[in-house]
Protein backbone atom coordinates (compact mmCIF):
# COMPACT_ATOMS: atom_id res chain seq x y z
CA UNK A 1 0.00 0.00 0.00
CA UNK A 2 2.83 2.40 0.91
CA UNK A 3 4.53 2.39 -2.51
CA UNK A 4 1.17 2.66 -4.25
CA UNK A 5 0.30 5.74 -2.17
CA UNK A 6 3.71 7.40 -2.58
CA UNK A 7 3.56 6.96 -6.38
CA UNK A 8 0.35 9.00 -6.29
CA UNK A 9 2.11 11.94 -4.65
CA UNK A 10 4.12 12.94 -7.69
CA UNK A 11 2.76 15.42 -10.24
CA UNK A 12 1.06 14.74 -13.54
CA UNK A 13 3.19 17.03 -15.69
CA UNK A 14 0.93 17.39 -18.72
CA UNK A 15 -1.90 18.69 -16.53
CA UNK A 16 0.41 21.28 -14.97
CA UNK A 17 1.69 22.35 -18.37
CA UNK A 18 -1.85 22.91 -19.63
CA UNK A 19 -2.52 24.99 -16.53
CA UNK A 20 0.49 27.25 -17.06
CA UNK A 21 -0.35 28.30 -20.60
CA UNK A 22 -2.83 30.93 -21.74
CA UNK A 23 -5.85 28.69 -22.31
CA UNK A 24 -9.23 29.85 -21.01
CA UNK A 25 -9.99 28.10 -17.75
CA UNK A 26 -13.02 27.83 -15.51
CA UNK A 27 -11.92 28.96 -12.06
CA UNK A 28 -13.80 29.06 -8.77
CA UNK A 29 -13.16 29.90 -5.14
CA UNK A 30 -14.68 26.84 -3.49
CA UNK A 31 -15.88 23.38 -4.41
CA UNK A 32 -17.06 20.08 -2.94
CA UNK A 33 -16.42 16.61 -4.32
CA UNK A 34 -17.42 13.11 -3.28
CA UNK A 35 -14.64 10.56 -2.92
CA UNK A 36 -16.43 7.28 -2.25
CA UNK A 37 -17.93 7.71 1.23
CA UNK A 38 -16.12 10.98 1.95
CA UNK A 39 -16.91 14.55 0.95
CA UNK A 40 -13.92 16.75 0.17
CA UNK A 41 -14.50 20.49 0.60
CA UNK A 42 -11.95 23.13 -0.32
CA UNK A 43 -12.35 26.88 0.12
CA UNK A 44 -9.37 28.37 -1.63
CA UNK A 45 -7.58 31.17 0.22
CA UNK A 46 -7.57 34.78 -0.98
CA UNK A 47 -5.64 35.16 -4.20
CA UNK A 48 -6.00 31.51 -5.24
CA UNK A 49 -8.65 29.70 -7.29
CA UNK A 50 -9.48 26.12 -8.21
CA UNK A 51 -9.16 25.32 -11.92
CA UNK A 52 -12.36 23.33 -12.27
CA UNK A 53 -11.68 22.25 -15.86
CA UNK A 54 -8.49 20.49 -14.73
CA UNK A 55 -10.06 18.47 -11.90
CA UNK A 56 -9.29 14.78 -12.26
CA UNK A 57 -11.74 12.47 -10.48
CA UNK A 58 -11.36 8.70 -10.22
CA UNK A 59 -13.00 6.08 -8.02
CA UNK A 60 -10.49 6.38 -5.19
CA UNK A 61 -8.56 9.53 -6.02
CA UNK A 62 -9.03 13.21 -6.71
CA UNK A 63 -6.62 15.80 -8.12
CA UNK A 64 -7.15 19.58 -7.88
CA UNK A 65 -4.97 22.40 -9.21
CA UNK A 66 -4.96 25.92 -7.78
CA UNK A 67 -3.53 29.01 -9.45
CA UNK A 68 -3.55 32.69 -8.58
CA UNK A 69 -6.60 34.76 -9.47
CA UNK A 70 -8.20 38.17 -8.94
CA UNK A 71 -11.61 39.70 -9.55
CA UNK A 72 -12.14 41.58 -12.78
CA UNK A 73 -12.87 45.15 -11.62
CA UNK A 74 -15.34 45.63 -14.50
CA UNK A 75 -17.37 42.41 -14.23
CA UNK A 76 -16.49 41.11 -10.75
CA UNK A 77 -15.76 37.75 -12.38
CA UNK A 78 -12.71 35.76 -11.32
CA UNK A 79 -9.81 35.91 -13.74
CA UNK A 80 -6.43 34.23 -13.65
CA UNK A 81 -3.44 36.37 -12.73
CA UNK A 82 -0.02 35.98 -14.33
CA UNK A 83 1.14 32.75 -12.76
CA UNK A 84 3.90 32.88 -10.16
CA UNK A 85 3.01 29.57 -8.53
CA UNK A 86 1.01 26.36 -9.00
CA UNK A 87 -0.41 24.24 -6.20
CA UNK A 88 -1.66 20.69 -6.63
CA UNK A 89 -3.85 18.95 -4.07
CA UNK A 90 -4.23 15.17 -4.29
CA UNK A 91 -6.51 12.92 -2.28
CA UNK A 92 -6.38 9.14 -2.29
CA UNK A 93 -8.54 6.69 -0.39
CA UNK A 94 -6.93 3.51 0.94
CA UNK A 95 -8.64 1.09 3.32
CA UNK A 96 -6.75 0.81 6.59
CA UNK A 97 -5.34 4.32 6.76
CA UNK A 98 -7.74 5.23 9.54
CA UNK A 99 -5.71 3.15 12.00
CA UNK A 100 -3.11 5.94 11.90
CA UNK A 101 -4.19 8.86 14.05
CA UNK A 102 -1.47 11.18 12.74
CA UNK A 103 0.76 11.38 9.68
CA UNK A 104 3.79 10.81 11.94
CA UNK A 105 2.31 7.43 12.97
CA UNK A 106 1.95 6.46 9.31
CA UNK A 107 5.51 7.49 8.41
CA UNK A 108 7.07 5.84 11.45
CA UNK A 109 5.25 2.58 10.74
CA UNK A 110 6.88 2.05 7.36
CA UNK A 111 10.11 0.20 6.57
CA UNK A 112 10.84 2.42 3.55
CA UNK A 113 12.11 5.89 4.42
CA UNK A 114 10.43 8.87 2.79
CA UNK A 115 13.79 10.33 1.84
CA UNK A 116 14.68 7.19 -0.12
CA UNK A 117 11.43 7.24 -2.09
CA UNK A 118 11.83 10.91 -2.92
CA UNK A 119 15.42 10.28 -4.00
CA UNK A 120 14.22 7.65 -6.48
CA UNK A 121 12.04 10.36 -8.01
CA UNK A 122 15.00 12.78 -8.28
CA UNK A 123 13.88 14.79 -5.26
CA UNK A 124 15.90 15.49 -2.15
CA UNK A 125 14.42 16.51 1.20
CA UNK A 126 16.25 19.63 2.40
CA UNK A 127 14.29 19.94 5.61
CA UNK A 128 10.97 18.93 7.12
CA UNK A 129 8.82 19.69 10.12
CA UNK A 130 5.51 18.53 11.60
CA UNK A 131 2.65 20.92 12.21
CA UNK A 132 -0.42 19.26 13.70
CA UNK A 133 -1.34 16.28 11.51
CA UNK A 134 0.77 17.51 8.58
CA UNK A 135 4.39 17.04 7.57
CA UNK A 136 5.88 19.93 5.59
CA UNK A 137 8.85 19.12 3.37
CA UNK A 138 11.20 21.41 1.47
CA UNK A 139 12.39 19.53 -1.63
CA UNK A 140 15.12 20.14 -4.19
CA UNK A 141 15.08 18.71 -7.71
CA UNK A 142 17.96 19.43 -10.08
CA UNK A 143 17.09 16.67 -12.54
CA UNK A 144 13.35 17.24 -12.87
CA UNK A 145 11.71 17.86 -16.25
CA UNK A 146 12.21 21.57 -17.06
CA UNK A 147 9.28 21.74 -19.51
CA UNK A 148 7.03 23.40 -16.93
CA UNK A 149 9.60 26.09 -16.17
CA UNK A 150 9.31 25.97 -12.38
CA UNK A 151 12.21 26.46 -10.00
CA UNK A 152 14.22 23.62 -8.49
CA UNK A 153 12.83 24.14 -4.97
CA UNK A 154 9.30 23.01 -4.14
CA UNK A 155 7.20 22.50 -1.02
CA UNK A 156 5.19 19.36 -0.30
CA UNK A 157 2.91 18.28 2.55
CA UNK A 158 1.37 14.97 3.56
CA UNK A 159 -1.50 14.41 5.98
CA UNK A 160 -4.14 11.79 6.81
CA UNK A 161 -7.86 12.14 7.47
CA UNK A 162 -9.68 8.86 8.05
CA UNK A 163 -8.92 6.61 5.07
CA UNK A 164 -7.83 9.57 2.94
CA UNK A 165 -4.21 10.56 2.48
CA UNK A 166 -3.70 14.13 1.27
CA UNK A 167 -0.69 15.44 -0.63
CA UNK A 168 -0.22 19.10 -1.57
CA UNK A 169 2.65 20.42 -3.67
CA UNK A 170 3.61 24.05 -4.36
CA UNK A 171 5.72 25.01 -7.37
CA UNK A 172 7.25 28.46 -7.79
CA UNK A 173 8.76 30.01 -10.89
CA UNK A 174 11.74 31.70 -9.29
CA UNK A 175 14.95 30.22 -10.72
CA UNK A 176 17.15 31.56 -7.92
CA UNK A 177 17.54 29.09 -5.06
CA UNK A 178 18.81 31.98 -2.94
CA UNK A 179 15.46 33.81 -3.32
CA UNK A 180 14.36 33.22 0.28
CA UNK A 181 11.44 35.67 0.15
CA UNK A 182 9.85 33.97 -2.85
CA UNK A 183 10.27 30.51 -1.31
CA UNK A 184 8.80 31.67 2.01
CA UNK A 185 5.77 33.08 0.16
CA UNK A 186 5.35 29.70 -1.54
CA UNK A 187 5.38 27.97 1.84
CA UNK A 188 2.77 30.42 3.17
CA UNK A 189 0.49 29.79 0.18
CA UNK A 190 0.75 26.04 0.72
CA UNK A 191 -0.05 26.40 4.42
CA UNK A 192 -3.17 28.41 3.62
CA UNK A 193 -4.31 25.77 1.13
CA UNK A 194 -3.75 22.97 3.66
CA UNK A 195 -5.84 24.89 6.20
CA UNK A 196 -8.64 25.40 3.67
CA UNK A 197 -9.34 21.66 3.23
CA UNK A 198 -12.19 19.92 5.04
CA UNK A 199 -13.06 16.23 4.77
CA UNK A 200 -16.35 14.81 6.03
CA UNK A 201 -17.40 11.19 6.16
CA UNK A 202 -20.76 10.67 4.45
CA UNK A 203 -23.37 8.83 6.44
CA UNK A 204 -24.37 6.19 3.93
CA UNK A 205 -27.53 5.16 5.79
CA UNK A 206 -28.90 8.68 5.84
CA UNK A 207 -28.09 9.29 2.18
CA UNK A 208 -30.10 6.34 0.90
Amino acid sequence: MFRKILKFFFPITFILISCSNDQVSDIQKSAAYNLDNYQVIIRSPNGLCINSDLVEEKNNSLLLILTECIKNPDTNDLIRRPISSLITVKFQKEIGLDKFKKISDFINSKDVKLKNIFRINNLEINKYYFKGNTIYMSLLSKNRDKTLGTGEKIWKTLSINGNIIISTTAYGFSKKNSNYTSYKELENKLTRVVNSIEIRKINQSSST
Side-chain angles (χ1 to χ4, degrees), residues 8 32-41 56-63 90-94 161 163-166 199-202 204:
F8 182 76
Y33 302 89
N34 287 340
L35 185 55
D36 195 25
N37 59 330
Y38 289 85
Q39 184 180 52
V40 174
I41 302 168
E56 186 175 280
E57 294 182 83
K58 297 181 179 179
N59 288 339
N60 291 309
S61 65
L62 171 67
L63 169 67
K90 300 181 181 181
F91 306 85
Q92 180 163 317
K93 180 184 176 184
E94 290 291 341
N161 188 312
N163 280 321
I164 304 291
I165 191 157
I166 308 157
I199 296 180
R200 302 173 181 172
K201 192 164 186 179
I202 298 171
Q204 299 284 8

Side-chain angles (χ1 to χ4, degrees), residues 85-157:
S85 61
L86 289 170
I87 298 177
T88 66
V89 188
K90 300 181 181 181
F91 306 85
Q92 180 163 317
K93 180 184 176 184
E94 290 291 341
I95 299 299
L97 282 175
D98 57 354
K99 69 181 180 182
F100 303 108
K101 300 303 180 185
K102 296 187 295 185
I103 190 66
S104 56
D105 297 334
F106 172 76
I107 292 171
N108 292 333
S109 72
K110 300 302 171 184
D111 296 329
V112 181
K113 300 293 185 182
L114 279 178
K115 64 180 181 180
N116 294 336
I117 292 180
F118 284 117
R119 188 176 296 123
I120 291 171
N121 289 272
N122 296 320
L123 293 166
E124 178 183 348
I125 300 178
N126 285 332
K127 65 177 181 179
Y128 70 90
Y129 61 89
F130 290 93
K131 189 174 182 181
N133 186 31
T134 303
I135 180 173
Y136 287 77
M137 293 173 285
S138 170
L139 303 174
L140 178 66
S141 174
K142 292 187 176 181
N143 300 317
R144 196 160 50 85
D145 184 359
K146 302 298 182 182
T147 307
L148 184 59
T150 56
E152 296 174 349
K153 296 173 72 175
I154 64 177
W155 279 101
K156 179 177 283 291
T157 72

Side-chain angles (χ1 to χ4, degrees), residues 54-55 104:
L54 297 178
V55 172
S104 56

